[in-house]
Amino acid sequence: MQLTECRAAALTELSEEERLFRDTVRRFAVEKIRPYAREMDEQGKFRREIIDEFFELGLMGLEVPEELGGQGGSFFQSVLAVETLATVDPSAAVVVDVQNTLVNNALLRWGTEDQKRRYLRRLATDTVGAYALSEAGSGSDAFSLATRAEDRGDHFVLTGQKLWITNAYEAGLFVLFANADPAAGYRGITAFLIERDLPGFRVGKKEDKLGIRASSTCELILDGCRVPRENVLGQVGKGYKVAIETLNEGRIGIGAQMLGLAEGALEHAMAYAKQRKQFGKPIADFQAVQFQLARMATDIEAARLLVYNAARLKDAGAPFLTEAAMAKYFASVMAERVASQAVEIHGGVGFTRDYPVEKLYRDAKIGTIYEGTSNMQLSTIAKQLLD
Ligand SMILES: Cc1cc2nc3c(=O)[nH]c(=O)nc-3n(C[C@H](O)[C@H](O)[C@H](O)COP(=O)(O)OP(=O)(O)OC[C@H]3O[C@@H](n4cnc5c(N)ncnc54)[C@H](O)[C@@H]3O)c2cc1C
């Protein structure tokens, strides 16, 4: 056998299909999202027409089987979509990320055939989903959640409040966690599928945020909300598994969001460095600026390898827990650094709202916070190292 025949593909090598898909998403992002990114950021509101176009393009059901109206694609494809959208608008990326990597994923993995039939088609075609775990008193310590689910036989009655729920303003379906047996601690946690119009359920205050401002983040109020037993996702008391397993995958998506954001920042920094003149020449001619750009590109390539590797491991059915935590941790710290450098390369105008790097700099901050803070990722990595 010739040596070339057993050459492993580079992690960053995309198949023809993946390349075409990425190019389509990129074209859509540039043509249909970029013109509104600044306005949506200022207004703190995502345009419904763009969400409708996400559905039309199939971006909201990437891994949902074709017979249920989805694309029947891979997890890697979801990651590629999130990365590509984030190059233009990280808020758009997180709408698609939560839908695919958390909500659809939880249903695909834990849903009964009936639940899949009832909900996956809607999620792939017209219904935005949200994933509700966090509460005011339980963030990093997610399983100390206080929302209660009282077992009444054929239904549960849910009471409590959720906080920080992405997509909640637009969502029609919520994967929501409550404790059905507080005495059992985390072994009482149960996942529920909550339709927006259930009596006793409502979406509350929307947060006014530093970054990803167009992506909605709201509180949820459950006041004696009656949920039919057939809407338990997975088994009663096994919600902690649903949460852990979906979040393990979800954080690769956040790594992809941060990767795309940094790519966008580098793109703007390079374009500006080539056209801005000081001392009689473009600032890109100064070696110091070239080195700044080179460091940014190297950082991005390192993050891309971590994110793509974690996603490809997941698709291959191989363990990916540590790799996912590393990808999310590294990509989010990297995105902050790269966005900050991009602002600096723009000089004073980089500090104004007239240029897009200011927004990317603000958007980058969330990467080290949601779906597990950097400390939580490091603690996962350290646990795997030392166990
Ligand atoms: C914009 C946005 C969108 C979000 N979207 C969602 C969503 O869709 N669904 C959802 O369920 N949640 C969502 N969240 C919640 C998010 O996941 C939490 O904010 C995050 O997990 C951190 O929890 P916390 O805010 O309570 O911070 P805390 O847990 O209070 O952490 C505060 C600080 O203490 C550190 N810390 C805490 N415990 C430890 C420890 N044991 N060791 C070392 N350091 C520690 C943390 O690293 C952090 O720096 C979102 C949050 C935001 C801001």
Side-chain angles (χ1 to χ4, degrees):
M1 187 196 287
Q2 284 191 335
L3 209 57
T4 47
E5 282 174 23
C6 49
R7 179 181 68 89
L11 273 177
T12 51
E13 200 173 303
L14 300 183
S15 69
E16 181 64 18
E17 199 189 347
E18 288 166 347
R19 214 171 24 247
L20 282 173
F21 173 73
R22 182 202 53 195
D23 293 348
T24 307
V25 177
R26 170 75 185 176
R27 209 172 314 116
F28 168 75
V30 169
E31 288 171 10
K32 300 287 176 68
I33 303 177
R34 180 166 282 164
Y36 301 106
R38 184 173 158 194
E39 174 195 301
M40 293 196 297
D41 176 66
E42 279 170 4
Q43 294 178 354
K45 191 162 187 304
F46 208 83
R47 287 172 81 92
R48 181 67 216 193
E49 307 88 274
I50 297 179
I51 294 180
D52 293 340
E53 287 180 278
F54 285 158
F55 282 111
E56 273 165 40
L57 270 179
L59 294 180
M60 297 297 259
L62 286 165
E63 288 176 82
V64 174
E66 284 173 271
E67 61 271 24
L68 290 174
Q71 301 301 302
S74 62
F75 180 74
F76 186 78
Q77 220 175 331
S78 299
V79 159
L80 210 49
V82 172
E83 175 196 352
T84 309
L85 291 171
T87 62
V88 169
D89 185 7
S91 282
V94 78
V95 174
V96 169
D97 175 71
V98 166
Q99 183 89 0
N100 286 283
T101 75
L102 295 181
V103 180
N104 295 349
N105 226 336
L107 262 152
L108 281 166
R109 182 187 285 249
W110 299 94
T112 61
E113 285 314 307
D114 173 57
Q115 289 170 341
K116 288 182 189 171
R117 247 192 328 272
R118 272 195 289 150
Y119 294 118
L120 279 176
R121 181 179 297 282
R122 285 173 53 192
L123 286 164
T125 54
D126 61 14
T127 304
V128 175
Y131 186 88
L133 178 63
S134 302
E135 300 179 359
S138 64
S140 300
D141 186 13
F143 294 156
S144 64
L145 58 85
T147 299
R148 296 290 173 249
E150 207 185 306
D151 192 341
R152 300 263 180 95
D154 66 342
H155 68 277
F156 287 80
V157 174
L158 270 59
T159 306
Q161 285 192 16
K162 295 287 169 186
L163 201 62
W164 311 119
I165 308 309
T166 300
N167 285 356
Y169 186 78
E170 299 85 5
L173 184 72
F174 298 77
V175 173
L176 186 145
F177 298 83
N179 199 320
D181 183 5
Y186 74 91
R187 289 179 189 277
I189 294 173
T190 305
F192 295 89
L193 294 163
I194 311 268
E195 300 205 31
R196 192 186 184 101
D197 56 7
L198 270 188
F201 174 81
R202 71 187 163 88
V203 175
K205 181 178 148 259
K206 192 162 133 195
E207 304 295 338
D208 187 7
K209 308 193 298 291
L210 168 75
I212 56 161
R213 290 175 47 78
S215 151
S216 67
T217 312
C218 308
E219 66 172 343
L220 307 178
I221 296 117
L222 298 121
D223 185 8
C225 176
R226 189 186 154 110
V227 185
R229 193 168 199 97
E230 62 262 27
N231 278 26
V232 169
L233 179 65
Q235 287 165 272
V236 175
K238 291 283 165 57
Y240 70 96
K241 281 192 82 149
V242 177
I244 288 175
E245 293 189 13
T246 40
L247 286 171
N248 285 346
E249 296 171 15
R251 61 179 60 121
I252 307 174
I254 301 304
Q257 182 200 25
M258 292 296 121
L259 168 63
L261 184 156
E263 288 166 7
L266 176 62
E267 202 183 300
H268 292 301
M270 287 197 302
Y272 187 79
K274 283 184 192 165
Q275 59 95 23
R276 169 70 175 169
K277 287 200 173 111
Q278 286 293 277
F279 302 96
K281 53 185 175 180
I283 59 168
D285 284 4
F286 297 114
Q287 196 181 49
V289 174
Q290 290 171 5
F291 281 12
Q292 275 175 299
L293 293 168
R295 272 192 217 101
M296 290 158 79
T298 307
D299 257 356
I300 289 171
E301 186 65 6
R304 184 181 293 118
L305 289 167
L306 286 171
V307 170
Y308 283 16
N309 186 47
R312 294 211 190 275
L313 285 173
K314 198 258 160 202
D315 274 336
F320 62 88
L321 174 66
T322 311
E323 290 80 0
M326 287 175 170
K328 199 260 183 188
Y329 165 69
F330 185 86
S332 53
V333 174
M334 176 284 293
E336 263 191 276
R337 194 162 56 221
V338 167
S340 169
Q341 286 284 298
V343 170
E344 269 181 54
I345 287 174
H346 280 72
V349 297
F351 204 61
T352 70
R353 301 212 164 179
D354 296 338
Y355 283 75
V357 285
E358 174 268 348
K359 173 179 172 301
L360 293 176
Y361 181 55
R362 285 186 285 109
D363 287 349
K365 188 64 238 178
I366 192 58
T368 60
I369 298 173
Y370 61 9
E371 293 201 31
T373 64
S374 285
N375 278 356
M376 292 300 108
Q377 305 308 323
L378 291 170
S379 114
T380 299
I381 298 162
K383 193 163 180 289
Q384 299 299 313
L385 277 178
L386 298 170
D387 266 0

